[in-house]
Amino acid sequence: MHRVILSLASNRYQKSNLFKARRCLEEVLTDAHFSSEHWTQPVGSNCRREAYLNQLADATTELDEAELTQWLKQKELDFGRTESRRRRGVVPIDLDILQFDDERRHLKDWDRSYVADLIGELQQ
């Protein structure tokens, strides 16, 4: 089993898409604990200005990192995430591995204040 911390985010049908994503994640995660949801403004987008709804998950999985990454990317596609929509600033769902076992990923995300706040919730 591997311990993972995942980041979930959406700027399109935010509440509904995060709810659906949590249900999907139950297919590959066990003992999942989710933080509260946190609204943030988009960073570096000149296209759209819809706020993001963010959440973190702390869980275990039997998948290795490559398998989990592939599964997450497929779910993003299933939610309608495409490169052309991303360029227009539309992100139905973004699912990222922030930590796999003891290795941190997406290091710039760890510096975001909402990640620090939400990580604190998971560690309580």
Side-chain angles (χ1 to χ4, degrees), residues 1-122:
M1 294 296 279
H2 301 281
R3 180 173 177 257
V4 296
I5 297 175
L6 305 179
S7 170
L8 297 72
S10 174
N11 73 353
R12 180 96 170 142
Y13 307 117
Q14 297 95 321
K15 289 255 184 204
S16 173
N17 281 343
L18 280 190
F19 176 81
K20 291 175 190 174
R22 287 191 302 270
R23 299 294 71 84
C24 288
L25 286 167
E26 291 174 353
E27 296 174 24
V28 295
L29 300 180
T30 54
D31 300 321
H33 301 282
F34 294 92
S35 70
S36 63
E37 298 169 340
H38 186 87
W39 290 98
T40 59
Q41 291 304 309
V43 175
S45 174
N46 296 330
C47 303
R48 299 175 66 95
R49 303 309 299 168
E50 286 86 0
Y52 279 84
L53 188 58
N54 304 274
Q55 189 170 44
L56 300 183
D58 183 3
T60 56
T61 184
E62 292 183 3
L63 299 179
D64 66 30
E65 189 170 7
E67 292 169 325
L68 181 58
T69 298
Q70 182 179 5
W71 189 91
L72 294 172
K73 295 308 165 198
Q74 182 58 54
K75 288 301 168 192
E76 289 178 344
L77 292 173
D78 293 347
F79 273 73
R81 184 165 180 180
T82 64
E83 183 60 27
S84 64
R85 290 180 92 187
R86 187 196 63 77
R87 281 194 305 271
R88 294 191 320 267
V90 177
V91 181
I93 198 70
D94 182 37
L95 302 169
D96 290 322
I97 300 170
L98 290 184
Q99 186 169 315
F100 193 89
D101 289 330
D102 294 326
E103 296 292 323
R104 285 187 173 187
R105 304 290 184 251
H106 296 274
L107 298 180
K108 289 182 182 179
D109 289 353
W110 286 90
D111 293 334
R112 296 185 177 164
S113 62
Y114 75 88
V115 171
D117 293 343
L118 298 179
I119 285 286
E121 286 182 20
L122 293 175

